[in-house]
Amino acid sequence: MPNGKAKDRFLKPLVADYEELLGRFQQTESVRFEEFTAIWRNMGFSSVFYGSLAGNEMREFCHLTLTMAFNYFLPPYSFQIRVGGLYLLYGLYHTQLASPKEKIRIALKDWEQIQKFYQDSVNSQHYDAVYIIRKLIAENAVLYTAMPQMLTFRVKKKPQHHKVCEEFRDRPERVKDLISTDMLQEVANIQGHHERLKASVLERSSIAVTQQDLPARLHSCVLEFLHWQDRHENHGDADHLVYAEEKAQQVESSNRAQLLASIKTKSYGCLAEASKSRRHRQVEMDTSISGTGYIKEATKYHKSRAPSLKARTNKNLCGEGDEQKIQYWLLSAAEEDKTACKNRPMPLTSE
């Protein structure tokens, strides 16, 4: 496996070259292998392995080139880009300088997508892609693995994430796949059978439960959606630029507000700190100056304090002005009992 330094040194230029090659292949609007080989020769892509690398470094670099190229052979890229990724793997495998040749790793989780791609190529009669896949398998160029990357015991490795190129992403075609020609023909047959049964049962066949032109309406809706999707993609770049400008203005306004807030905080929050030898004088001065204000604040607080529990209880039970009619219960003694206790002789105690 290539180390971290090799990845950092070769990864970005390698991805840039791959995207340049696949971008030119996308402009041809074709999936033929001869179109790809013409672009390959024009760019001199075989020279990607030329350099001062030798021995183990060359093997690590070949492994990195095949690993990064394999990402373009998988979803979410479009069918044309995936075909270009397959041709890219084929070219890199046969032009690599490692001996023996580094194989293409295919993980178990990706094998289902490859089988589906192979079947779609057969159904669409793209025999160039079918031939390349079968030739790579026949040449034993594929290494079937459980994981996409090689795992090593007790070795920490930085996970490698592939950044998807948005220009190569496959646009959603679920509506087109759902409303196919076969499905429209089936709907037309079912509707015709329904109309015949209705005419044989009911005398008045003018009763319309379903629409008469349902297949034509579905076909029209699909075409309208595809036209809207094309217009949306054409205006996507302009909308992205407008959004980027608005985002930049919002960020600039936010930075200005944060700057003003920090200036106010520094203005009101910075206090001059006195030296240790004069700190007691400052405390005395602050006390002498703020003494009057502190007394006023204390008086104000005392005046505005809520009444106590005893005052509120007296007010609720006896009413205002009846404090002297309060009857004390077991918590206090009557005046006669207090006088009797005072006049009672003390008992004599024996020595």
Side-chain angles (χ1 to χ4, degrees):
M1 291 293 291
N3 52 26
K5 294 183 179 180
K7 285 183 180 180
D8 297 337
R9 184 172 55 178
F10 300 127
L11 187 59
K12 291 183 179 180
L14 196 61
V15 171
D17 292 339
Y18 286 170
E19 293 182 355
E20 176 67 21
L21 176 64
L22 295 176
R24 295 186 182 182
F25 181 68
Q26 187 182 28
Q27 293 177 359
T28 62
E29 298 182 355
S30 173
V31 293
R32 302 279 77 87
F33 184 67
E34 57 181 359
E35 299 287 346
F36 182 85
T37 53
I39 300 173
W40 177 284
R41 296 191 188 97
N42 186 19
M43 295 182 62
F45 217 83
S46 300
S47 61
V48 70
F49 296 104
Y50 298 165
S52 59
L53 298 177
N56 191 33
E57 290 184 352
M58 175 57 69
R59 179 164 297 278
E60 291 177 353
F61 179 72
C62 293
H63 178 85
L64 180 62
T65 55
L66 294 175
T67 302
M68 296 305 300
F70 184 74
N71 293 322
Y72 297 96
F73 185 45
L74 299 175
Y77 293 112
S78 62
F79 183 81
Q80 185 186 10
I81 296 300
R82 294 181 66 184
V83 172
L86 175 64
Y87 296 160
L88 180 60
L89 286 172
Y90 181 79
L92 292 174
Y93 176 78
H94 286 281
T95 57
Q96 63 175 311
L97 301 179
S99 180
K101 292 183 179 295
E102 190 72 19
K103 295 185 178 182
I104 303 170
R105 294 175 61 92
I106 297 181
L108 181 62
K109 67 180 184 65
D110 301 328
W111 182 243
E112 183 179 357
Q113 296 292 339
I114 295 176
Q115 287 181 329
K116 184 178 179 181
F117 173 83
Y118 177 81
Q119 191 62 39
D120 292 341
S121 301
V122 172
N123 297 335
S124 303
Q125 298 182 356
H126 299 311
Y127 296 124
D128 295 1
V130 175
Y131 172 78
I132 295 297
I133 293 176
R134 299 187 67 174
K135 186 172 178 59
L136 287 175
I137 295 176
E139 293 178 348
N140 199 18
V142 177
L143 182 63
Y144 303 98
T145 60
M147 302 296 294
Q149 298 179 0
M150 186 181 298
L151 303 181
T152 308
F153 181 64
R154 289 186 177 179
V155 175
K156 293 183 178 180
K157 296 180 181 179
K158 185 179 180 181
Q160 182 178 351
H161 300 287
H162 175 69
K163 185 178 180 181
V164 179
C165 182
E166 297 296 333
E167 297 179 358
F168 300 158
R169 186 187 289 272
D170 186 17
R171 66 179 187 178
E173 295 183 354
R174 296 181 180 179
V175 176
K176 184 178 179 181
D177 296 337
L178 179 63
I179 312 297
S180 60
T181 306
D182 297 336
M183 195 275 289
L184 291 176
Q185 184 66 30
E186 186 68 21
V187 170
N189 295 335
I190 293 174
Q191 187 174 11
H193 183 65
H194 172 72
E195 294 295 335
R196 289 192 297 270
L197 290 177
K198 186 176 64 175
S200 62
V201 173
L202 300 177
E203 296 180 357
R204 294 181 301 173
S205 59
S206 60
I207 299 177
V209 181
T210 59
Q211 297 180 358
Q212 299 293 330
D213 55 346
L214 180 60
R217 287 177 177 269
L218 290 176
H219 184 67
S220 175
C221 291
V222 172
L223 292 179
E224 184 179 357
F225 173 76
L226 293 177
H227 291 325
W228 171 84
Q229 194 176 32
D230 294 336
R231 292 195 304 270
H232 182 71
E233 288 184 356
N234 294 332
H235 294 288
D237 296 335
D239 295 340
H240 180 72
L241 292 176
V242 173
Y243 175 76
E245 293 179 357
E246 294 178 354
K247 192 70 175 178
Q249 293 178 359
Q250 292 178 2
V251 171
E252 185 179 359
S253 302
S254 178
N255 293 335
R256 188 183 298 109
Q258 292 178 1
L259 180 60
L260 294 176
S262 62
I263 293 174
K264 291 182 180 179
T265 304
K266 292 180 180 179
S267 301
Y268 294 105
C270 294
L271 296 176
E273 185 177 358
S275 60
K276 294 182 179 180
S277 60
R278 307 183 67 180
R279 210 171 271 174
H280 63 283
R281 300 181 182 178
Q282 185 181 7
V283 172
E284 292 176 359
M285 181 180 63
D286 293 340
T287 305
S288 60
I289 293 174
S290 60
T292 307
Y294 176 77
I295 294 173
K296 292 181 179 180
E297 291 292 329
T299 307
K300 181 179 179 181
Y301 174 77
H302 179 71
K303 290 181 179 179
S304 61
R305 188 172 57 181
S308 62
L309 177 62
K310 182 179 179 181
R312 286 185 276 115
T313 305
N314 294 337
K315 180 179 178 181
N316 295 333
L317 295 179
C318 304
E320 296 182 359
D322 296 339
E323 288 81 357
Q324 301 190 5
K325 296 181 181 181
I326 296 175
Q327 181 180 0
Y328 296 96
W329 296 312
L330 298 177
L331 297 180
S332 60
E335 294 296 335
E336 294 83 359
D337 297 337
K338 291 182 180 181
T339 306
C341 290
K342 290 182 180 180
N343 298 331
R344 182 177 178 180
M346 297 296 293
L348 297 176
T349 58
S350 59
E351 295 292 338

